[in-house]
Amino acid sequence: MMITMTNTPTITANVLFLDQNQHLTASDMEELSYEYADCQFDHLSALPRIDNHYDFIVVLAHSHDRSTVRRLHALIESEVHTNIIVASVEDNPASLFPYINNNIQGFMSLRYFKENATFVFRHMKEQALFLEPAYHSVLILEIERIKLREQPIKKLILQKEIVQEILSENEQNVLQLLLEGNNNLQIAQSLYLAPSTISTIISHLLKKMNANDRTDALVKSIRNGWVDAYR
């Protein structure tokens, strides 16, 4: 197994893996320690006494199960002053969805964490929430599926009549395209605008929605009732 280094500057962190079912091997831990030599990694199967020694606690989850829920609740109730990440060992974003209402700061696959640990650490020290980019549209669709539970969703539609006094026309158009899973370049091409203009519109949109990033904005737009599902 190869772990890809990112080009971001070095960052130090103390990291604890809570791994009840021993998904990480000794070889995995050696590779992590080698690739991220400035970080300290510990690997335990049970929750230790919390002493706020760790910058990040990574809880490995195979699916939504009671033992993992209990572990997360114990962490949250301990008022530990650290960032908590839930990592899916089978790279299945839907398996992380039931945990999203907890006070968790990061959601990603274990694979993504191994390959991008430095980027994850840096982002989470600056932002309140980190979601693996590939999970964005999947989890948003899962939110809508659970809300409606009737038939598959073909498309998420922004109800512009609700937001017309809150968002400008460009902001509405950009938010709609974000809901469809488009990146900045694709949005720019769809709206015939420069990528720099799209970045500016997104910045204004996030500020108006009091959102940390585009993921937070998409989740808030759904929770605010701004989005309908076309089935």
Side-chain angles (χ1 to χ4, degrees), residues 47-48 50 52 57 72-81 84:
L47 184 68
I50 297 299
N52 293 314
I57 296 179
L72 289 171
H73 285 171
L75 278 173
I76 294 167
E77 291 172 2
S78 70
E79 298 183 352
V80 59
H81 301 298
I84 301 173

Side-chain angles (χ1 to χ4, degrees), residues 10-195:
T10 300
I11 187 169
T12 60
N14 291 320
V15 183
L16 170 64
F17 287 100
L18 284 181
D19 184 11
Q20 180 180 10
N21 296 312
Q22 298 296 311
H23 295 290
L24 283 174
T25 65
S27 176
D28 291 329
M29 297 303 295
E30 289 176 2
E31 288 190 48
L32 282 164
S33 297
Y34 176 78
E35 295 293 346
Y36 305 101
D38 293 292
C39 298
Q40 174 66 44
F41 295 98
D42 290 335
H43 183 214
L44 298 173
S45 60
L47 184 68
R49 180 178 63 83
I50 297 299
D51 59 7
N52 293 314
H53 169 69
Y54 297 103
D55 300 300
F56 301 89
I57 296 179
V58 182
V59 179
L60 301 188
H62 184 271
S63 60
H64 188 251
D65 62 85
R66 292 183 179 179
S67 62
T68 304
V69 171
R70 286 195 298 268
R71 181 171 300 162
L72 289 171
H73 285 171
L75 278 173
I76 294 167
E77 291 172 2
S78 70
E79 298 183 352
V80 59
H81 301 298
T82 187
N83 291 289
I84 301 173
I85 296 171
V86 176
S88 169
V89 297
E90 74 270 28
D91 202 3
N92 176 14
S95 70
L96 301 186
F97 176 76
Y99 301 110
I100 206 165
N101 289 327
N102 294 284
N103 187 25
I104 311 301
Q105 289 76 49
F107 298 89
M108 65 202 70
S109 64
L110 178 58
R111 172 197 53 76
Y112 183 88
F113 178 87
K114 288 179 181 179
E115 295 176 354
N116 301 278
T118 300
F119 176 73
V120 170
F121 296 154
R122 187 170 302 281
H123 183 97
M124 290 184 65
K125 286 185 176 182
E126 296 173 354
Q127 302 289 341
L129 176 67
F130 183 90
L131 178 66
E132 179 179 339
Y135 284 11
H136 289 188
S137 60
V138 177
L139 284 180
I140 289 168
L141 289 172
E142 183 69 5
I143 289 172
E144 278 298 304
R145 186 190 69 80
I146 289 177
K147 282 176 61 179
L148 300 176
R149 292 183 182 275
E150 293 178 357
Q151 52 186 337
I153 297 170
K154 296 179 180 178
K155 188 176 182 180
L156 297 176
I157 305 294
L158 179 66
Q159 299 184 71
K160 293 187 176 182
E161 66 276 9
I162 295 177
V163 299
Q164 60 185 354
E165 295 183 3
I166 303 172
L167 305 178
S168 69
E169 183 175 355
N170 278 340
E171 289 164 349
Q172 294 175 40
N173 292 335
V174 167
L175 181 54
Q176 175 60 59
L177 291 168
L178 287 174
L179 286 165
E180 295 172 18
N182 293 280
N183 59 34
N184 283 27
L185 180 58
Q186 291 168 327
I187 294 173
Q189 292 172 342
S190 295
L191 299 180
Y192 302 100
L193 295 172

Side-chain angles (χ1 to χ4, degrees), residues 197-216:
T197 301
I198 298 303
S199 296
T200 300
I201 293 171
I202 291 175
S203 295
H204 291 162
L205 178 64
L206 297 182
K207 185 175 181 180
K208 283 187 179 180
M209 297 184 66
N210 192 28
N212 295 312
D213 52 31
R214 65 181 63 202
T215 302
D216 194 20

